[in-house]
Amino acid sequence: MIIYILIFRISYKWSRCIFLLFLLNICIPGALPLICRADDLEPNNESVVDFTEFSLEELKNVEIISVSKKLEKLSEVSAAVYVITQEDIRRSGATNIPDALRLAPGVQVARNGPTEWAVTIRCLNEEFSENLLVLIDGRSVYSPVFSGVHWDVQDTVLEDIERIEVIRGPGAAIWGANAVNGVINIITKSTKDTQDGQFLVLGGTEEESGSIRYGGNLGNDTYYRTYVKYFGRERFSKDNRGGNSDDNWRSVRGGFRIDREPETAMASNSLTLQGEAYANRYDTKIDRFSLTPPYYTRENDTSEAAGGHLLGRWQHTFSETSDTELQLYYDHTKKDYDISSAYIDTVDLDFRHKFNFSQHEIVWGLGYRFITDEFSIKNGHIQDFQIDMEPLKLDQHVYSAFVQDKVQLIPERLNLTIGSKFEYNDYMGFEVQPSIRLLWIPGKQHALWGAISRAVRTPSRIEQGLREIVGIAPSGSFIKESASDTSYSKSPAVFMFLGNDELSSETLMAYEVGYRLEPTNTLRLDMTAFYYNYDKLIMLDFDELYLETAPFPHYIIPYRYKNSMEGEAHGTEVAADWHPLRQWRMKASYSYLKTRLLHNDDLITDDFEGDIEEKSNPGSQFSLRSSLDITDQLELDAWLRYVDTLSEKNVDSYTTLDVRLAWKPMENLELSVVGQNLLDGQHQEFSPFEVERSVYFRLSWRF
C-alpha cells in the first residue's frame, strides 16, 4: 500500500508532463522523433511496428451481427454502428465493461456510486439503462424487474472479449421490446482463438482484481476454455460533503465455453455450449423508515447478488446463402434490493433462418421467453411496512416473430431494408415494431443511409406493482388546510412510490440519417443525425393524498407511476479515425444532444405545471484518444474526455485524462501502469458520489 501511495503521488506530479506529451503528439507530429528514432518512422523500414490490427480497411470490412442477426460488413450497414475492438479495450485502460463503453460516440456512461453506473445511448439516462438492450454473446442481460441492466453483475475477463457492437438507435425490428435507444452486444472470442493460458493481476488505489484462464482442445475441431476471476473494491468514492461512502464490493465468478468449429466454412454444423456462475457481496448502508421517532435511521447492511447461466447454440449451414441458428439459454439471478430480495429465472428459445433469392436477402425468426420472479423481505418477513410488491410472485410469457428483407434495388449501390418485430406478452398484449432503412453507396469512399423506426419499452415489475416508503415527515405539515378531516394534522406524513397495473408501453418514433466518408486511406469519418419523438413515457407523478389508519393514523403522500410524459430529442454524432503514422493512431468523437420532455396536458396536476425537463443527459460530449507505439516493446496511450453538465442532477461539467504506459519485455508478458482522472482530485458524474483520481498496475502473462 505504501508503494501504491508513493507511485500515486509521483504519477500525479508527472501527469501534467504526460498531458503535455499528449498535446505534443496531437499538435506537433514532427516532434515524435524526440521519443522515437527517425528510422523507426520511415514507412519502408522493416523494423516498423505491425499496425495491421488498426487498419481502416480491416475496420471497414469487419463483419457484425447485431443489426440484422446475420453477418454483414460494417461499411454496408444502414445504421449508426460503432465497434469497440479488443485492442481498443486493452489500450484504453478500462477495467470494467461500462468504462469500456465510453469508447463509443453517443454513449453516455456516468458512475452512480461504488457499484452502479447509469448507461444509455442518446437520451433518457437513468440508473438502470431502461431504454437500452444489452446482450452478451446473444443472451439478454436486461432485467424485467427494473427494466434495465445491473452493471455490477455483468463482468467477464475483458481480454476474452473479441468486440463490442454498439448500435445507436432503435434495434426493436430485430431484437424486440426495450431495444429503444440502442443495442449493445458484447461478443467474446471463439475458444479456437484462446488456445493458451493467461494470468492477469491488477492492483491500485481504488481496486484489485485477478483472473486465470486456460484454453485447450478436445479433438480436431472442438475447443474449450475455462476461467476464474476475482474483483474487489473498497470505499470507491466520497459523497459531495467529503464523507466516505463505506461501500465494499467483492466479486468472484467462473465459467467455461466449448465450441465445435468445423475446419471448412461450408461444413454443415457448429455448436457452442457456455456457462457461468458468480457471487457478489456488498457491505453498504441502507435507509430504514418508521412511523415512530426517530422515523429514519441509516444502518449498515450486507447485500448479495448471485446467479449463473447456461447457453447452447447450434448453427447449420445449407449453402453460401442459407443458414439457420437455434439458441436456448437458462439464466438465474438472485439479488438484494435494499431491504428486499428477489430471484428471477429466465428461459429463452430463439430460432433464426437466413436465405437469399433473386435480389432479396431474407432473415426471419421465432422466439419464446418465460420469466418467473419472486420477491421476499429480508429476515424472512413476507410483508413489510417499508416495501411491498404486488403480486410477490409473477410468471410472464413472451412470444415473438420477426422478418426482415434486404433488397438490392441497384446491386452494390442502393439497398432497401424493411422489417418488423411482432411480440405478444401477457400484460401489454400485441406490439408491432417496424423499421425501414435505405443505404446508398455512390462510391468506395462514400455511403449515405437513412432510417425510420418504431420501438417500445414495456413497463417493469417495479413500475406495475411497487409500494415503497421513500421518506417520512414527523408531522402533518404537508397536509392542506382545506382537508375535510384535520383531526390527524399531527400524524406523520409518509412519502410513497406506488406502482400502476394500468400502464401502457412507452413508444418511440425515430428518424435517422448518416454519412460515412473516407477522404484518404488514413482517415475515416462517420456522421449521424437523429430526431426522436417519445410518447407515453413513464414517470412518477403526484397522486391524490389519502389517509391510512393502520398500524395508527398517518397520511400517504403518493407518487404513482403514470404514462404522463412525452417529448422529443435531436442530436448529432461525429466520429473520426486517423492514422497519421503507422505507429500512431488517433480516434476522436463528438456528440450533441438536446431533449425536451414535458407532461401530457390532460395529466397535469396542481403540483406539476407542465415544466420542461431535460432529464439526466449531457448536452455535449467529446473524446480524443491517442495510441502510440514508441518501440516494439513500449506503448503510450492517452485519453481525454469532456462531459457537459447534468442540470437535473446538479452535476457540473468535467474533463478527464487517462494515461497508459505499457512495456512488453517479452512476447507473452506485458506490464502496464494506468492513471485515471488525472486532471482532478475527484468529480461527480451522476450522483453525490465523487469519482476519484486513481492509479493501478497491471501484469498480463500468457503461458
Side-chain angles (χ1 to χ4, degrees), residues 599-619:
H599 294 82
N600 297 326
D601 291 341
D602 58 341
L603 292 175
I604 294 176
T605 68
D606 293 339
D607 294 80
F608 293 105
E609 299 178 355
D611 295 336
I612 295 174
E613 296 190 8
E614 297 297 327
K615 300 296 281 186
S616 304
N617 306 283

Side-chain angles (χ1 to χ4, degrees), residues 107-258:
V107 179
Q108 299 154 15
V109 180
R111 196 77 192 233
N112 193 33
T115 64
E116 299 166 353
W117 287 263
V119 182
T120 193
I121 293 177
R122 292 182 173 172
C123 192
L124 302 179
N125 201 10
E126 295 293 344
E127 179 179 344
F128 294 108
S129 312
E130 58 189 20
N131 291 277
L132 180 65
L133 184 66
V134 180
L135 308 108
I136 300 179
D137 287 329
R139 172 181 59 90
S140 174
V141 296
Y142 184 97
S143 170
V145 173
F146 278 93
S147 281
V149 178
H150 293 286
W151 292 104
D152 56 304
V153 298
Q154 312 310 328
D155 194 14
T156 187
V157 178
L158 293 186
E159 288 70 21
D160 287 346
I161 295 177
E162 178 183 300
R163 67 186 186 274
I164 303 176
E165 299 178 1
V166 180
I167 302 173
R168 308 187 308 275
I174 293 293
W175 298 103
N178 309 317
V180 179
N181 286 358
V183 177
I184 294 174
N185 193 3
I186 301 163
I187 300 171
T188 61
K189 295 177 182 177
S190 166
T191 53
K192 189 176 181 180
D193 299 326
T194 54
Q195 290 294 289
D196 57 10
Q198 183 186 55
F199 172 74
L200 189 146
V201 62
L202 180 151
T205 57
E206 299 294 335
E207 65 183 65
E208 59 188 21
S209 67
S211 65
I212 185 167
R213 179 257 291 157
Y214 184 78
N217 66 78
L218 301 173
N220 292 332
D221 56 2
T222 303
Y223 308 89
Y224 74 90
R225 73 166 171 260
T226 61
Y227 84 91
V228 176
K229 181 177 181 179
Y230 165 81
F231 171 86
R233 186 191 298 276
E234 294 186 12
R235 293 188 175 182
F236 168 77
S237 53
K238 298 180 179 180
D239 61 30
N240 57 1
R241 296 176 299 276
N244 287 325
S245 63
D246 293 325
D247 288 278
N248 297 327
W249 177 14
R250 298 289 182 270
S251 174
V252 62
R253 65 181 58 232
F256 74 93
R257 175 168 169 168
I258 301 173

Side-chain angles (χ1 to χ4, degrees), residues 313-339:
R313 185 185 302 113
W314 169 62
Q315 294 175 300
H316 180 77
T317 302
F318 298 101
S319 67
E320 291 184 354
T321 60
S322 179
D323 62 74
T324 189
E325 178 180 288
L326 182 66
Q327 175 179 282
L328 173 66
Y329 72 80
Y330 165 73
D331 186 279
H332 171 77
T333 299
K334 182 177 181 180
K335 186 173 173 64
D336 292 342
Y337 305 102
D338 291 336
I339 65 169

Side-chain angles (χ1 to χ4, degrees), residues 235-414:
R235 293 188 175 182
F236 168 77
S237 53
K238 298 180 179 180
D239 61 30
N240 57 1
R241 296 176 299 276
N244 287 325
S245 63
D246 293 325
D247 288 278
N248 297 327
W249 177 14
R250 298 289 182 270
S251 174
V252 62
R253 65 181 58 232
F256 74 93
R257 175 168 169 168
I258 301 173
D259 291 317
R260 180 185 181 275
E261 298 187 9
E263 295 296 331
T264 62
M266 287 308 300
S268 59
N269 295 297
S270 63
L271 298 170
T272 295
L273 178 66
Q274 63 185 83
E276 181 186 56
Y278 64 88
N280 288 8
R281 178 187 174 97
Y282 317 91
D283 296 324
T284 183
K285 293 181 180 292
I286 62 172
D287 299 331
R288 289 189 180 272
F289 299 98
S290 171
L291 287 177
T292 59
Y295 301 107
Y296 162 83
T297 58
R298 189 163 177 80
E299 302 177 0
N300 292 325
D301 183 68
T302 298
S303 299
E304 296 179 349
H309 73 271
L310 186 65
L311 179 146
R313 185 185 302 113
W314 169 62
Q315 294 175 300
H316 180 77
T317 302
F318 298 101
S319 67
E320 291 184 354
T321 60
S322 179
D323 62 74
T324 189
E325 178 180 288
L326 182 66
Q327 175 179 282
L328 173 66
Y329 72 80
Y330 165 73
D331 186 279
H332 171 77
T333 299
K334 182 177 181 180
K335 186 173 173 64
D336 292 342
Y337 305 102
D338 291 336
I339 65 169
S340 67
S341 63
Y343 77 77
I344 308 169
D345 288 319
T346 302
V347 177
D348 185 279
L349 179 64
D350 185 78
F351 170 79
R352 174 198 60 82
H353 180 215
K354 184 201 77 174
F355 64 94
N356 292 14
F357 77 92
S358 184
Q359 301 299 316
H360 299 262
E361 185 177 66
I362 295 177
V363 183
W364 68 279
L366 301 171
Y368 168 73
R369 180 174 297 174
F370 171 71
I371 305 168
T372 181
D373 66 68
E374 183 171 356
F375 277 79
S376 62
I377 305 303
K378 293 165 91 171
N379 302 322
H381 299 290
I382 301 300
Q383 300 288 335
D384 188 271
F385 172 74
Q386 186 166 334
I387 190 169
D388 194 13
M389 182 71 71
E390 179 64 35
L392 287 174
K393 187 179 188 307
L394 181 66
D395 295 340
Q396 301 180 62
H397 302 266
V398 181
Y399 308 88
S400 65
F402 81 93
V403 62
Q404 178 178 277
D405 184 10
K406 182 178 180 179
V407 187
Q408 294 190 37
L409 302 178
I410 302 177
E412 299 183 0
R413 284 285 186 262
L414 188 63

